[in-house]
Amino acid sequence: MPHLDRRSFLVAGLAAGAVAAVPATAALAEPAPAAETARSLASRGLRADPFTLGVASGDPGPGGFVIWTRLAPQPPAEDGMGGMPSRPFAVLWQVYADERCRHVVRAGVETAGPEWGHSVHVEVEGLQPGRDYWYRFRLGGYVSPVGRARTAPHPLTFGGPLVMAFVSCAQYEHGYFTSYRRLAEDHPDLVLHLGDYQYEYTRNTYTIPGGNVRDHEGPETETLAGYRQRHAQYKADLDLQAAHATAPWLVVWDDHEVDNNWAGEVPERPDVPQPNFLARREAAFRAYYENMPLRRTSVPRGIDMQLYRRIRWGRLATFHMLDTRQFRDDQACGDGYRDCPAASDPARSITGDEQERWLIDGFHQSRAQWDIIGQQVFFGRRDNDPGPAKVTGMDAWDGYVASRQRITQGWVDAEVRNAVVLTGDVHAHWAGDLKLDYDDPGSPAVGSELVATSISTGGDGADSDPAAHPFLRINPHLKFYNNQRGYVLTKVDREQLTADFRVVPQVQVPGSPVHTKATFVVEDRVPGVRQTYLRPVDPALRTTVEDTVQLETERP
């Protein structure tokens, strides 16, 4: 018999008509919510399939994970409610031990109400560690797609190798989400999304050469209705749905989930009055929670939301997921690349004091083989001036030098076995060594940074010889660059972390294949990255060095 949660017992006896659309073998074993039929749902205002946004899972532990869906028969509805009536609906959820969905191991009912955009978040517990499960949702005769999730290994074991992908920056207008589809086909065990899941702009605001391939619905996102509508437009994309359905995700935001380059309670342009920015931030946070597979510990409270958190993958890895937006000081000297002495002010922080202490305490408590820091913006130094000046990006950790130094020293002092920083934001693949002293090229590496390019932001991009990029000559600790779209696929085991920089050459047309541009490894107790493979430049996809520098220094 499947395990039923408390609410399931209240409705199990009312459910015979709700499972008519599923196989008889499953129907015999499972309860369903109150006997909803197509006619009864229609009488309550629901006349079409509400599972248009797919399913997702997230934040796995050894005994379970979060599963998510959101009801929206009409995703682009201007009021942000996805075409749902303004009333609650009881949604059945089921977790299976097999891909064919015959053996139910957990089931229950959650209420999807209008106050949370008819989203459903279920924290499934009581499962076996280190194995795959499948799940889906039902409402009357409507059945959601099936998703796959995996529990973390037992806390005292390493488990097998972990296949983990990480991604960032999916601008719907700039390209198709082919990178998500190819990621799903790689069947990872875990996916990290490091920010810019959606973009706030209205159509024809953020354009690429040759024009955008599709358009955002609605105005720039500033209200709860607007953010809900935008999330629904993105979630309705079938390639994104495939990536969510393939594995549990660990999500953190960057800037475009709210407003470009926002910092704490300061909008992108503090010189331009935005008196409703805090209301905008509150709306964005609420919509983000509604649309992500997050636990109840991340339910937003007004303008605050607990997003930084720690996820342990047995003894193999600890993921420290950071929030570098909500608590940061405003950028020094404004945005962009600057030679800015204020960037080194020890009082400035990109994480805020509390999160910094939490992170460093986590380093001291960790016994993991790998401590993996999932975060948003470039961590290592990226100086773009070949002379003595330090001209660096103010929106990245270069704008918060003392903050970076304290955290790096924190993992060194804690004698973390292997520190690896995973990064998004910059719309290009990068790899590099992390140091305590970037002014001394001969100083030892103390960690490694891997940076994922964008899913689609910037359009197709272009191939190039990474050695030709001037940033690598100015910054010898940087080892790799590529300006094509894609994601990073890693394999983590006890001896090494292997990172394949996966590339989708075209996103401005659908259906492009994927290939590996380069492979880097980080060996156990050997800080820094080592290249083991580099695909030759494709002349048909080549770009000039001048183009790559312009893209890096002038990106929005």
Side-chain angles (χ1 to χ4, degrees):
M1 288 291 290
H3 170 84
L4 308 181
D5 75 1
R6 182 177 57 85
R7 277 172 290 186
S8 301
F9 286 109
L10 301 179
V11 298
L14 305 174
V19 294
V22 301
T25 53
L28 291 173
E30 300 165 10
E36 295 277 17
T37 65
R39 179 177 295 179
S40 68
L41 288 172
S43 71
R44 300 173 63 213
L46 181 59
R47 298 177 175 85
D49 182 4
F51 296 113
T52 62
L53 306 184
V55 299
S57 65
D59 283 20
F65 35 71
V66 180
I67 58 174
W68 169 97
T69 194
R70 180 182 164 207
L71 309 181
Q74 300 170 20
E78 290 184 5
D79 65 358
M81 296 305 293
M84 286 295 295
S86 185
R87 59 183 65 184
F89 290 84
V91 179
L92 171 69
W93 58 269
Q94 298 146 318
V95 176
Y96 304 88
D98 63 307
E99 188 173 6
R100 298 184 68 184
C101 300
R102 293 180 179 272
H103 180 201
V104 183
V105 293
R106 291 290 183 273
V109 172
E110 286 289 329
T111 298
E115 65 276 13
W116 291 101
H118 290 100
S119 62
V120 178
H121 297 76
V122 181
E123 297 185 21
V124 183
E125 297 295 345
L127 303 177
Q128 295 298 310
R131 62 153 294 172
D132 289 341
Y133 290 91
W134 290 262
Y135 62 94
R136 64 183 172 188
F137 301 86
R138 301 178 185 178
L139 178 55
Y142 300 113
V143 183
S144 78
V146 175
R148 166 186 169 264
R150 184 172 183 83
T151 52
H154 188 281
L156 299 180
T157 69
F158 286 92
L162 167 65
V163 179
M164 179 269 295
F166 64 99
V167 299
S168 71
C169 302
Q171 220 288 12
Y172 182 90
E173 301 174 299
H174 288 185
Y176 296 95
F177 288 167
T178 312
S179 303
Y180 282 138
R181 176 69 62 173
R182 300 295 170 252
L183 181 156
E185 293 166 353
D186 281 334
H187 303 294
D189 302 314
L190 187 67
V191 178
L192 274 61
H193 200 294
L194 302 179
D196 295 346
Y197 183 92
Q198 57 114 83
Y199 282 69
E200 75 274 30
Y201 305 110
T202 190
R203 66 178 66 192
N204 298 323
T205 301
Y206 183 11
T207 58
I208 56 176
N212 293 342
V213 301
R214 46 188 185 173
D215 294 316
H216 280 151
E217 298 284 346
E220 178 159 333
T221 53
E222 296 183 283
T223 65
L224 180 57
Y227 284 110
R228 282 173 168 171
Q229 180 191 34
R230 186 62 51 79
H231 275 285
Q233 183 178 16
Y234 277 58
K235 277 289 200 316
D237 185 281
L238 296 181
D239 292 333
L240 174 54
Q241 288 187 25
H244 271 299
T246 198
W249 285 35
L250 308 181
V251 300
V252 285
W253 56 41
D254 191 21
D255 54 339
H256 290 290
E257 288 87 351
V258 181
D259 178 37
N260 182 51
N261 286 357
W262 68 282
E265 298 184 5
V266 182
E268 174 188 11
R269 294 283 306 278
D271 57 316
V272 177
Q274 194 177 140
N276 297 321
F277 179 71
L278 293 186
R280 179 181 188 178
R281 175 174 140 163
E282 180 177 353
F285 285 15
R286 189 178 185 92
Y288 186 83
Y289 172 78
E290 290 173 352
N291 286 279
M292 295 296 163
L294 289 164
R295 294 183 180 272
R296 64 178 64 93
T297 50
S298 292
V299 171
R301 294 170 175 80
I303 66 166
D304 300 316
M305 183 171 170
Q306 181 66 44
L307 196 58
Y308 68 84
R309 61 205 188 281
R310 197 169 281 121
I311 291 87
R312 294 178 172 86
W313 196 265
R315 294 181 60 192
L316 182 66
T318 294
F319 292 90
H320 310 266
M321 304 300 292
L322 302 190
D323 176 354
T324 63
R325 286 290 164 191
Q326 186 176 180
F327 309 106
R328 68 158 66 189
D329 294 304
D330 193 17
Q331 292 89 348
C333 304
D335 295 343
Y337 280 76
R338 304 280 189 272
D339 181 3
C340 178
S344 299
D345 183 345
R348 291 176 46 74
S349 176
I350 196 172
T351 61
D353 293 342
E354 183 176 339
Q355 184 178 190
E356 182 179 301
R357 287 194 297 271
W358 167 88
L359 179 59
I360 294 174
D361 286 347
F363 293 151
H364 283 273
Q365 295 168 13
S366 177
R367 298 298 180 267
Q369 195 88 349
W370 300 89
D371 280 85
I372 300 175
I373 303 164
Q375 59 91 47
Q376 297 76 14
V377 293
F378 215 96
F379 192 86
R381 179 192 285 176
R382 278 198 312 167
D383 184 3
N384 76 352
D385 187 284
K390 295 293 182 290
V391 181
T392 57
M394 294 298 98
D395 191 57
W397 289 79
D398 276 329
Y400 305 82
V401 173
S403 195
R404 176 174 64 200
Q405 190 74 11
R406 289 191 296 269
I407 287 170
T408 307
Q409 189 69 57
W411 78 58
V412 172
D413 291 345
E415 298 182 350
V416 163
R417 184 178 182 118
N418 297 294
V420 179
V421 176
L422 305 183
T423 300
D425 181 57
V426 294
H427 313 166
H429 281 318
W430 292 84
D433 298 344
L434 298 176
K435 295 173 175 280
L436 283 170
D437 185 1
Y438 291 98
D439 289 327
D440 178 6
S443 65
V446 296
S448 312
E449 182 171 21
L450 305 170
V451 183
T453 186
S454 66
I455 289 291
S456 59
T457 309
D460 289 342
D463 199 2
S464 63
D465 178 1
H469 197 295
F471 280 23
L472 272 66
R473 294 194 297 272
I474 298 168
N475 305 274
H477 57 279
L478 300 179
K479 308 299 183 182
F480 175 67
Y481 166 87
N482 176 263
N483 182 42
Q484 294 171 289
R485 308 288 75 85
Y487 53 97
V488 182
L489 185 70
T490 69
K491 180 181 179 182
V492 187
D493 59 31
R494 295 178 66 172
E495 289 75 32
Q496 65 181 25
L497 183 154
T498 303
D500 290 334
F501 288 86
R502 303 283 275 163
V503 164
V504 175
Q506 292 180 297
V507 296
Q508 291 172 251
V509 295
S512 179
V514 66
H515 64 260
T516 296
K517 173 61 183 179
T519 299
F520 281 79
V521 299
V522 181
E523 298 176 9
D524 180 33
R525 288 185 164 168
V526 183
V529 298
R530 179 171 61 86
Q531 182 176 287
T532 60
Y533 170 75
L534 179 64
R535 181 184 172 112
V537 175
D538 185 341
L541 301 171
R542 193 181 186 98
T543 190
T544 66
V545 171
E546 289 76 11
D547 288 340
T548 63
V549 174
Q550 184 179 44
L551 284 165
E552 276 297 300
T553 58
E554 296 184 6
R555 65 178 183 84

